[in-house]
Amino acid sequence: MKIPVCRLADLPRGEACRLDSDPPIAVFHTEAGEVYAIDDTCTHQDASLSDGWLEGCEVECPLHASKFDLRSGSVDSPPAKRPVRTHQVLVEDGTVYVLPTPAPRAAVHRVDGRT
Amino acid sequence: MKTVAVVGASLAGLSAARSLREQGYDGRLVLIGGEPHRPYDRPPLSKEFLAGEIDEDALALEAEGEDLAAVWELGVRAIGIDTGSWAEHHVRLADGRSVRAHGIVIATGAAARTLPGSERLDGVHVLRTLDDARALRADLARGGRLVVVGGGFIGAEVASTARRLGLEVTVVEAAPTPLAGPLGREMGSLVSRLHADHGVRLLCGTGVRALAGTGRVEAVVLDDGRRLDADTVVVGVGARPCTDWLAGSGLDLDDGVRCDAAGRTSIPGIVAVGDCAAWYEPAVGAHRRVEHWTGARERPATAVAALLSGGQGVPEAPRPPYFWSDQYGSRIQFAGYAAQADSVTLEEGAAADRSFLAVYRSAGRPVAVLGLNQTRLFTRWRRRLATAEARTAG
């Protein structure tokens, strides 16, 4: 499945937007001009990473300061301990598309946050 | 440096240990913790953990499989430092041993202040450690009436959690307005309206004269003579830095270990981080203890860089202080220095909606920002503040 997100021109560098998919996906346009997509919800507690602090290839959760690497989804800084999923991004004819990674069946429920 | 001892195994100590390894230190690393627990996260202790929504495993700060190649000395307090030449210091432990170290990171945190007489009564709590939280959680499960002494963030978070658990809650604050210290009077007053919104009684402008009861606490007696019946009491009246053990070490101690803007103490080879450390803050021109999670997380990297460079490095300035508080389902976020401001204005939203963004300014220049349920906008302003400060410092 290929989901259109927005025109690349409408997503300035240093900005992010949220795709209301299930689960929601955050799309980031870095200062360096790269575009990345990861799960929007922080694995620590319910917060939207697209609202977070983007610096280089890293986003800091706007709520409790967990940091995630946009390229791998790995946790760079606590309190989060579990990575976020990454998704493939395509830019075609000036439009940004996301190809969502299928959710692993067992890993969707939350273990340490509010539901 | 052959051995570095990190004294204190909470967030600041763990962050220092991680920074040491990340910055290439491959010598012996000893982590000394007074509590028996592995490093754990404290913010949930007044919220999700206290409410019984998460268990102790969820508090762990270390990642699964994380290995810092460190020697862990847990459940043993450090009782002193014998400073030697640059090359060698000794950390004395309560069990009689001592750790020889060439570099020392002091991260012993702060301890909750108590009220006189509270030790002899059951049902009176402070909330700082995991063991404190376990004990308080057990008492809140009894239900009934809770009196919280102190309307700061810990007090407000406990009140919020207890209210959600169905207790009848009263918060007593000695100052005319809660949170005036961190947020200023006007905003402190606005934010503390959350108490009333959720059926919690807030009494301001009166101190506590005594705790009444025999065996177990029965009431809180106020300075104005009022008596508040209580089944459980939580005292949240601030914390004092854990630096008593450093008396006689030669370190400069004055409301915390006095450090320069990179965490260096007055003795070469020793840095201090977290709640016990009073770093020089160039932005305010004075030493400050910053008792926030984010400072304990971020600043150790700066201090470790200073330590490993033998005091020669010029570290990056830390970002402006940032903290959050989750109360009554609302997200409160603050960054910067409120005390510097000569004006505060609501830039977005409205106080009545319990959703707003306020900017603090000094001579027209933004110095701090407060968000109540304004996460996205807050992040933008926080970033602006950091960029402006970096420019000023540079």
Side-chain angles (χ1 to χ4, degrees), chain B residues 183-256:
Chain B
L183 302 184
R185 280 185 75 151
E186 198 181 341
M187 291 300 131
S189 168
L190 276 189
V191 168
S192 52
R193 286 182 200 168
L194 289 171
H195 288 297
D197 291 353
H198 293 84
V200 166
R201 185 157 63 133
L202 172 63
L203 301 176
C204 288
T206 178
V208 168
R209 184 191 296 166
L211 299 170
T214 46
R216 189 174 176 89
V217 70
E218 289 163 15
V220 173
V221 184
L222 303 181
D223 278 340
D224 60 16
R226 271 181 292 178
R227 184 186 158 97
L228 307 172
D229 291 334
D231 300 295
T232 302
V233 172
V234 172
V235 179
V237 293
R240 54 179 180 75
C242 297
T243 53
D244 291 353
W245 68 285
L246 294 167
S249 63
L251 287 164
D252 192 358
L253 305 175
D254 182 13
D255 187 37

Side-chain angles (χ1 to χ4, degrees), chain B residues 124-186:
Chain B
V124 181
H125 300 266
V126 293
L127 181 50
R128 186 84 197 170
T129 66
L130 175 57
D131 295 341
D132 293 340
R134 283 175 179 163
L136 176 57
R137 184 155 95 167
D139 262 2
L140 291 186
R142 301 157 61 115
R145 292 154 302 186
L146 171 72
V147 174
V148 178
V149 181
F153 288 113
I154 284 285
E157 289 172 4
V158 170
S160 161
T161 303
R163 188 69 196 132
R164 205 147 47 90
L165 293 173
L167 281 83
E168 187 187 307
V169 185
T170 304
V171 175
V172 181
E173 167 59 47
T177 303
L179 304 171
L183 302 184
R185 280 185 75 151
E186 198 181 341

Side-chain angles (χ1 to χ4, degrees), chain B residues 319-337:
Chain B
R319 299 193 290 185
Y322 161 67
F323 62 83
W324 72 81
S325 178
D326 301 331
Q327 300 168 19
Y328 305 107
S330 282
R331 289 175 175 173
I332 302 160
Q333 297 173 288
F334 184 89
Y337 302 90

